[in-house]
């Protein structure tokens, strides 16, 4: 990735007053513009603290943080924060304001006029897939998933280049969480924000992130790289343990069928399972195993066969990627 | 006509003008005390919230004022400030402080930390956050304090009858000195009615300022 660096952490450490240990230790990260970086690690490893140092809700004990090349310490606090969307667990919506007013919070702080805020709110409701009839409601009348969507809409309201998200989906039930994750992926494809996403869930990180920064206790960076790289080559035993079992299987989910050099359409396709070329390799493997078939037929979006894929081609693909 | 009867309606009929002006006076003394006490408490509570260690001395001082018997306080103030509204109000306001300060601080403390965190993260500056986020969310606790302070003050105003103020208190004092129960009943009864009336208004006001609060039986 050759995008310019949006957020640069240089030797950032944080020790809270009265604590004998560092919450974050000598952390250096370059987060490219338009990328989604997941900060992952066990509970208490300093993920939240790292995120909060970016918008200066916490001040580093040492080290510097730059935003688009500018030291954040030289920026007025409220300006820095209004230029970064902030989404937290439980959404943190204002209970005393309607959904519309919640979404319009930062534009209002920025002094936009009423019509402009109203128009923007409607745009956002559409963007995050909320029913406009919810706009007049108060947050208490929304489901957890709806509240999180409002939280995301609110964070995006003033169209900030940076989005900070702290375990935004950890309080919603698993089915809704998967939906929200898919929505975020779709949103990010359109908006290309620089997103820092804190989660303790490595699967969520692998699914969403362009890059994963895995932190160990004390905020020590254990490994920083694309999800596939962590799964393929864990840098330390800690990383290996944190990633858990079935690393090869989980890598499969990160690759699409279309990324692989598959064979031509075989003559006899009857009885063979099919997968769309946009599907993940994991899905292709699942089809092979489920049908006890030697090959799976690859189709295009309208269902026309365009090739065939075998188990060993899948395995080779994972190994080729190692180069 | 029996002077010993509990209430003598004829007297009431002949004194409607006095009753009216006493009602006005009682209301005026109450509202000034509650408003001034509230404004003062808002400032003191804001200080206590911002500089945490000041809470103990501020709340302690207000609590101390609250424990002084009202009669003693008015007697003490009288030689300094004289027979006037100022004397009454100093006493009345000082009783509201403890009620207001503790409730405002408790109310603001009960604002969910997530909400405060989100507000800070979105770039709220302190005073704006206090006024537009913290206070509205503390509204239930603040209205509760307003209700207690108002009802208490309506009762205390009668005591200022002793220093020539007091709205309905003047009837009670006069009734006591003349051993005339009608005046005592009228003064005491109207004072209770005023307290209940203002309290009811405040209950309604709470619904108006907290439309966001989920209420049983209504969505
Ligand atoms: N305000 C604070 N004061 C003191 N210690 C804190 C504070 N916030 C976090 N910590 C400590 O710093 C460490 C990292 O916390 P945090 O960043 O919240 O971890 P994570 O988000 O990864 O679970 C923990 O040991 C936590 O107890
Ligand atoms: Mg955390």
């Amino acid at each position: 990735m050759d995008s310019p660096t949006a957020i640069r952490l240089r030797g950032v450490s944080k020790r809270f007053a009265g604590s004998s240990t560092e919450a974050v230790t000598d952390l250096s990260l370059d987060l490219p513009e338009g990328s989604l970086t997941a900060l992952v690690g066990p509970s208490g490893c300093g993920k939240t603290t790292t995120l909060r140092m970016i918008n200066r809700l916490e001040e580093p004990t040492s080290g510097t943080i730059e935003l688009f090349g500018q030291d954040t310490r030289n920026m007025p606090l409220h300006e820095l924060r209004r230029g970064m969307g902030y989404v937290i667990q439980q959404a943190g919506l204002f209970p005393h304001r309607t959904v519309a007013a919640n979404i319009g919070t930062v534009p209002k702080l920025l002094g936009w006029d009423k019509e402009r805020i109203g128009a923007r709110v409607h745009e956002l409701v559409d963007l995050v897939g909320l029913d406009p009839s919810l706009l007049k409601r108060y947050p208490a009348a929304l489901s957890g998933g709806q509240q999180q969507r409002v939280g995301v809409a609110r964070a995006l309201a003033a169209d900030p280049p940076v989005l900070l998200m702290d375990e935004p989906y950890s309080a919603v039930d698993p089915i809704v969480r998967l939906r929200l994750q898919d929505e975020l992926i779709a949103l990010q494809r359109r908006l290309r924000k620089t997103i820092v996403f804190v989660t303790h869930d490595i699967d969520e990180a692998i699914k969403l992130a362009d890059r994963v920064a895995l932190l160990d206790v004390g905020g020590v960076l254990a490994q920083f790289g694309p999800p596939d790289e962590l799964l393929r080559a864990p840098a330390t035993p800690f990383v290996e343990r944190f990633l858990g079992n079935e690393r090869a299987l989980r890598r499969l989910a990160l690759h699409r069928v279309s990324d692989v050099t598959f064979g031509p359409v075989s003559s006899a396709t009857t009885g063979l399972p099919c997968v769309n070329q946009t599907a993940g390799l994991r899905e292709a493997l699942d089809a092979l195993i489920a049908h006890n078939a030697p090959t799976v037929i690859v189709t295009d979006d309208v269902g026309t066969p365009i090739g065939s894929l075998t188990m060993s081609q899948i395995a080779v693909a994972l190994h080729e990627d190692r180069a | 006509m029996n002077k010993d009867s509990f209430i003598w309606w004829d007297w009431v009929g002949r004194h409607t003008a006095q009753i009216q002006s006493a009602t006005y006076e009682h209301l005026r003394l109450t509202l000034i005390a509650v408003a001034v006490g509230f404004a003062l408490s808002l400032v003191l509570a804001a200080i206590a919230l911002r500089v945490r260690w000041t809470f103990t001395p501020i709340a302690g001082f207000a609590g101390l004022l609250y424990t002084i018997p009202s009669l003693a306080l008015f007697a003490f103030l009288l030689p300094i400030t004289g027979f006037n509204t100022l004397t009454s109000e100093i006493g009345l306001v000082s009783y509201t402080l403890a009620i207001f300060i503790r409730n405002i601080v408790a109310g603001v403390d009960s604002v969910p930390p997530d909400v405060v965190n989100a507000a800070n993260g979105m770039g709220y500056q302190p005073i704006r956050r206090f006024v537009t986020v913290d206070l509205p969310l503390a509204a239930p606790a603040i209205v509760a304090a307003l209700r207690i302070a108002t009802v208490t003050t309506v009762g205390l105003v009668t005591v200022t009858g002793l220093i020539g103020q007091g709205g309905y208190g003047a009837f009670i004092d006069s009734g006591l000195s003349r051993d005339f129960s009608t005046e005592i009943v009228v003064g005491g009864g109207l004072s209770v009615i005023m307290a209940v009336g203002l309290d009811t208004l405040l209950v309604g006001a709470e619904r108006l300022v907290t439309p966001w609060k989920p209420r049983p039986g209504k969505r």
Side-chain angles (χ1 to χ4, degrees):
Chain A
M1 246 180 260
D2 289 312
S3 321
T5 300
I7 301 171
R8 169 174 287 141
L9 284 77
R10 276 289 165 276
V12 171
S13 296
K14 174 69 181 183
R15 180 187 293 224
F16 285 101
S19 167
S20 58
T21 57
E22 319 262 271
V24 175
T25 309
D26 192 22
L27 184 61
S28 296
L29 292 173
D30 279 2
L31 314 184
E33 193 173 349
S35 68
L36 192 157
T37 303
L39 290 180
V40 207
S43 172
C45 72
K47 306 179 292 291
T48 295
T49 304
T50 302
L51 196 75
R52 289 165 64 84
M53 286 193 288
I54 296 175
N55 64 4
R56 287 182 61 199
L57 286 170
E58 305 288 353
E59 298 289 352
T61 314
S62 61
T64 59
I65 299 178
E66 288 174 15
L67 181 68
F68 298 107
Q70 203 184 343
D71 191 327
T72 53
R73 272 172 306 196
N74 300 332
M75 305 168 74
L77 258 190
H78 61 279
E79 268 175 37
L80 174 76
R81 291 175 186 168
R82 289 171 194 178
M84 295 182 172
Y86 187 44
V87 188
I88 57 178
Q89 197 184 14
Q90 318 279 17
L93 299 180
F94 297 123
H96 63 303
R97 295 199 185 140
T98 61
V99 168
N102 263 285
I103 296 176
T105 301
V106 178
K108 191 162 178 208
L109 287 175
L110 293 171
W112 293 16
D113 63 53
K114 267 210 175 100
E115 288 83 69
R116 188 170 167 211
I117 295 176
R120 180 64 180 151
V121 166
H122 278 91
E123 241 175 73
L124 287 158
V125 161
D126 200 44
L127 186 72
V128 301
L130 271 173
D131 183 345
S133 71
L134 298 179
L135 282 175
K136 288 201 261 341
R137 295 228 190 138
Y138 289 98
L142 303 189
S143 71
Q146 289 169 334
Q147 290 185 12
Q148 280 309 330
R149 287 188 190 98
V150 175
V152 171
R154 182 174 72 173
L156 289 169
D159 203 20
V162 171
L163 218 52
L164 307 178
M165 307 180 81
D166 194 349
E167 310 226 9
Y169 306 143
S170 54
V172 294
D173 70 66
I175 293 169
V176 176
R177 187 183 312 147
L178 292 178
R179 272 257 296 289
L180 291 170
Q181 290 168 353
D182 291 335
E183 288 170 17
L184 182 66
I185 291 171
L187 210 63
Q188 173 65 345
R189 208 168 282 148
R190 286 172 65 180
L191 301 178
R192 287 280 150 217
K193 300 286 180 190
T194 304
I195 302 179
V196 188
F197 190 106
V198 164
T199 175
H200 61 261
D201 176 356
I202 186 67
D203 289 315
E204 184 170 65
I206 289 171
K207 176 174 174 184
L208 296 176
D210 303 311
R211 283 149 187 257
V212 174
L214 180 49
L215 298 180
D216 201 345
V217 180
V220 178
L221 185 64
Q223 192 167 0
F224 181 41
D228 191 63
E229 191 177 296
L230 268 74
L231 287 169
R232 189 184 73 223
T236 65
F238 164 76
V239 178
E240 201 171 332
R241 250 182 297 122
F242 196 81
L243 290 170
N245 297 325
E246 305 171 356
R247 293 205 313 274
L249 274 178
R250 288 155 70 193
R251 283 184 65 206
L252 287 176
L254 293 171
H255 295 265
R256 287 166 177 237
V257 171
S258 56
D259 298 339
V260 179
T261 39
F262 47 78
V265 187
S266 52
S267 43
T269 58
T270 44
L272 291 178
C274 295
V275 289
N276 191 302
Q277 61 171 338
T278 59
L281 284 182
R282 189 169 178 149
E283 200 178 311
L285 181 67
D286 183 74
L288 282 175
I289 296 167
H291 292 79
N292 190 20
T295 50
V296 55
I297 303 300
V298 181
T299 66
D300 63 11
D301 286 340
V302 291
T304 316
I306 55 170
S308 63
L309 187 63
T310 64
M311 178 92 78
S312 66
Q313 280 168 329
I314 292 174
V316 167
L318 280 193
H319 282 271
E320 271 174 355
D321 201 61
R322 183 173 293 212
Chain B
M1 300 240 209
N2 180 3
K3 204 187 165 188
D4 292 333
S5 82
F6 186 57
I7 179 158
W8 199 15
W9 289 107
D10 194 44
W11 182 92
V12 176
R14 279 184 287 109
H15 290 81
T16 48
Q18 279 101 315
I19 291 175
Q20 248 176 37
S21 72
T23 302
Y24 167 77
E25 185 61 14
H26 205 107
L27 205 55
R28 189 180 71 96
L29 289 168
T30 303
L31 295 185
I32 292 176
V34 171
V36 172
F38 183 65
L40 216 57
S41 301
L42 214 50
V43 175
L44 291 171
I47 294 170
L49 284 160
R50 188 109 186 111
V51 191
R52 229 41 238 225
W53 65 263
T54 62
F55 175 75
T56 311
I58 289 174
F61 178 69
L64 189 72
L65 287 177
Y66 196 67
T67 60
I68 302 175
S70 50
L71 272 175
L73 184 62
F74 290 125
F76 169 76
L77 286 170
L78 206 49
I80 308 171
T81 50
F83 285 88
N84 54 30
T85 304
L86 181 64
T87 308
S88 316
E89 291 299 350
I90 291 176
L92 295 173
V93 165
S94 61
Y95 286 108
T96 65
L97 295 181
I99 300 169
F100 280 135
I101 292 172
R102 284 188 182 279
N103 274 278
I104 294 171
V105 169
V108 171
D109 275 344
S110 73
V111 175
D114 276 345
V115 174
V116 175
N117 181 24
N120 289 336
M122 281 186 292
Y124 268 92
Q125 287 164 296
I127 292 177
R128 184 156 184 177
R129 199 200 81 199
F130 183 67
V131 175
T132 66
V133 179
D134 298 1
L135 283 184
L137 288 174
I142 292 174
V143 176
L146 270 170
R147 291 175 59 188
I148 301 170
T150 304
V151 170
T152 308
T153 305
V154 169
L156 275 175
V157 165
T158 60
V159 180
T160 66
L162 289 173
I163 54 171
Q165 303 274 315
Y168 299 140
F171 291 135
I172 298 174
D173 292 337
S174 150
L176 282 172
S177 60
R178 295 198 290 149
D179 192 20
F180 178 40
S181 67
T182 298
E183 275 190 295
I184 300 173
V185 172
V186 167
L190 288 177
S191 168
V192 169
I193 291 171
M194 181 177 286
V196 172
L198 290 176
D199 194 49
T200 309
L201 278 180
L202 284 168
V203 172
E206 188 190 358
R207 290 185 163 254
L208 279 183
V209 299
T210 59
W212 46 275
K213 251 180 77 179
R215 293 195 163 80
K218 184 180 159 244
R219 250 181 84 104

